Amino acid sequence: MDSHDVIVVGGGLIGLSTAYRARKAGARVIVIDRGPVGYEASSRATGYLSLRAETPTESPLAQMAERIWPTLDEELGYPTEWKQKGRLWAAFDDQELADLKVTYDLFRKTDIPFEFIDTQACRDVIPILSPDVRAGIYTHRSGHANPQRVTQAFAWAFQDLGGVILEHTPVHAVLTEGGSVTGVQTSAGTVHGGRVVLAAAAFNARLMEPLGILFPVAGVRLEAMVTTPMPPAYDVCFIGHGISVRQTLRGNLHANGGPHEWIDVQADQEPAKPNTPIIRNIARRITEVFPVAASLQMLRSWAGIVELTPDLNTIVQAFDNPAGLVAAAGAGHAFGMAPSLGVALAELALEGRTSAPIEGLGLERFAGLGPDWRSVRNWQAGAYNT
Ligand SMILES: Cc1cc2nc3c(=O)[nH]c(=O)nc-3n(C[C@H](O)[C@H](O)[C@H](O)COP(=O)(O)OP(=O)(O)OC[C@H]3O[C@@H](n4cnc5c(N)ncnc54)[C@H](O)[C@@H]3O)c2cc1C
């Protein structure tokens, strides 16, 4: 096969936004995916941008993404359905109220403005909220977009620039020689290139093991559904009662939630993504939060594999050994961060450095972590929600 300046492994949003930026900078770029591009977490997400207010190391990259999002329709030439109308976290009982107060304290670690608001103020933001809502945290910052549209937009824009996408081609290994990357081994043969960006979500860990690199990311399952449409009722990102629910441009309520289980990912197989009774709980919770939804029907449901890291923060790493290797993993919120991650990874691949704020997001923070980090940490993956 031809040689490329940059090989991107994984055609989710992180890979596609990296590929788009690198191609736009003039590089010959190929994206290689095990399946169709944009078929995994990125198109299955709810579509929120999290500003990561509780994590000052990660928040600057999220806020960079917030600046890029409104430019994407024009930049890419395709609609993303981005709406920047704010975000509301709400509590509906004593326990949720206590948790909300803890969250509010955490959010004050950055200077992003948040207000703690009462029942009436919550219902002013979302008029269809149940009168049982006790309180909320509101910010006018942040927004949401249509995950399928966004993923498609990046893929098409990359191809419009002459970028190459190779689908249904699992990557089995990163190839190196003399301490530098030389390409990747795929099911269809060797693809040559001096820079390799690994954006294969949880499978990044497997690709880096043979290089002696512990890249701590693992998959968990998250479930989602949309209802039939209802008249436009709200624009903000809603989070509360264990679920996230946005209203789409067409009026559907689009929700995710539920506990998770660890998922082992294989190179050659699409990970199984069954729906379980969790989806019934999500549907019930939607009607508890928005009583009007009781008259809607569940239109579709699905699940997706979310990548998580030990501290639930994004990893961005450029390696000296092997030189030419760059890798990233989101931590369950990379849909929103992908626009700035793409800029950072493309710059790291092409120039070896980036002006994007990635300090503190490298692997050095995991010094001392062992390969059994999942069990040692005794993670309760189910406690996590987007
Ligand atoms: C239901 C749900 C709701 C979510 N909601 C949000 C949200 O509101 N906001 C938010 O920010 N995030 C959300 N997320 C998380 C978000 O989707 C992920 O953080 C993000 O999509 C990760 O992007 P990615 O490109 O790393 O992964 P993916 O989109 O999973 O892409 C990885 C790609 O790598 C490919 N691949 C894997 N192994 C190989 C291999 N060996 N060879 C070649 N290719 C390979 C896969 O086929 C896949 O296409 C949600 C996720 C789910 C499932």
Side-chain angles (χ1 to χ4, degrees):
M1 287 195 200
D2 291 347
S3 182
H4 304 269
D5 298 323
V6 180
I7 300 169
V8 177
V9 180
L13 211 43
I14 294 182
L16 290 170
S17 94
T18 303
Y20 172 78
R21 295 292 170 186
R23 178 67 199 146
K24 197 177 171 195
R28 287 168 306 152
V29 185
I30 185 169
V31 173
I32 308 176
D33 201 288
R34 174 186 57 209
V37 289
Y39 184 71
E40 294 291 347
S42 298
S43 61
R44 293 163 187 267
T46 304
Y48 289 2
L49 165 66
S50 166
L51 292 173
R52 310 298 298 145
E54 66 276 44
T55 313
T57 39
E58 204 180 14
S59 191
L61 197 61
Q63 294 188 58
M64 179 180 165
E66 189 190 28
R67 293 189 291 277
I68 297 174
W69 270 106
T71 68
L72 284 180
D73 283 19
E74 198 180 330
E75 168 78 41
L76 303 176
Y78 299 101
T80 61
E81 298 181 12
W82 169 250
K83 269 192 192 177
Q84 192 152 4
K85 299 285 185 176
R87 187 152 164 150
L88 177 70
W89 291 256
F92 294 82
D93 59 31
D94 288 349
Q95 183 58 54
E96 289 178 9
L97 187 59
D99 293 345
L100 196 71
K101 287 177 180 161
V102 173
T103 303
Y104 185 53
D105 284 341
L106 290 173
F107 282 177
R108 284 193 265 175
K109 289 185 177 180
T110 58
D111 56 6
I112 299 168
F114 293 98
E115 293 169 69
F116 201 90
I117 60 177
D118 64 14
T119 298
Q120 187 53 52
C122 288
R123 300 191 76 209
D124 289 343
V125 176
I126 304 184
I128 60 168
L129 264 187
S130 159
D132 291 340
V133 63
R134 301 279 294 279
I137 303 171
Y138 172 71
T139 177
H140 67 276
R141 303 265 302 266
S142 185
H144 61 83
N146 178 327
Q148 296 196 342
R149 284 257 158 143
V150 175
T151 316
Q152 214 169 46
F154 269 104
W156 285 340
F158 171 62
Q159 288 178 310
D160 290 346
L161 293 178
V164 179
I165 293 179
L166 189 60
E167 297 181 301
H168 304 289
T169 310
V171 170
H172 291 292
V174 176
L175 303 175
T176 64
E177 208 178 292
S180 295
V181 158
T182 57
V184 296
Q185 187 63 46
T186 78
S187 59
T190 303
V191 178
H192 301 280
R195 289 119 195 210
V196 171
V197 178
L198 296 183
F203 199 77
N204 272 357
R206 301 278 289 273
L207 286 170
M208 278 183 270
E209 256 170 41
L211 304 173
I213 300 167
L214 174 64
F215 194 83
V217 57
V220 295
R221 187 170 48 81
L222 190 60
E223 301 199 24
M225 58 164 280
V226 285
T227 66
T228 47
M230 59 174 282
Y234 71 98
D235 282 329
V236 298
C237 306
F238 167 82
I239 297 183
H241 205 39
I243 52 176
S244 304
V245 195
R246 76 181 182 108
Q247 186 169 28
T248 71
L249 192 61
R250 278 152 296 281
N252 323 72
L253 298 182
H254 173 184
N256 83 60
H260 311 70
E261 58 191 2
W262 294 114
I263 303 287
D264 276 321
V265 286
Q266 310 294 329
D268 294 330
Q269 286 166 10
E270 182 194 335
K273 295 178 281 286
N275 274 126
T276 70
I278 290 168
I279 204 69
R280 203 170 51 211
N281 296 342
I282 296 174
R284 177 177 50 76
R285 282 167 183 260
I286 293 178
T287 64
E288 286 166 358
V289 168
F290 303 129
V292 66
S295 63
L296 305 176
Q297 291 155 23
M298 187 192 296
L299 187 62
R300 278 184 293 126
S301 65
W302 64 93
I305 310 299
V306 180
E307 73 297 344
L308 294 185
T309 61
D311 59 3
L312 301 184
N313 289 329
T314 303
I315 304 174
V316 181
Q317 182 71 47
F319 295 87
D320 295 329
N321 187 13
L325 182 67
V326 177
H333 45 262
F335 175 85
M337 307 245 315
S340 52
L341 270 170
V343 172
L345 294 168
E347 288 179 355
L348 286 171
L350 296 177
E351 298 160 29
R353 61 194 151 74
T354 177
S355 54
I358 58 163
E359 290 80 4
L361 298 182
L363 282 182
E364 66 281 352
R365 69 185 197 263
F366 299 119
L369 198 74
D372 56 348
W373 60 274
R374 285 195 297 186
S375 52
V376 167
R377 300 253 161 171
N378 190 23
W379 254 14
Q380 300 300 317
Y384 167 85
N385 203 354
T386 302

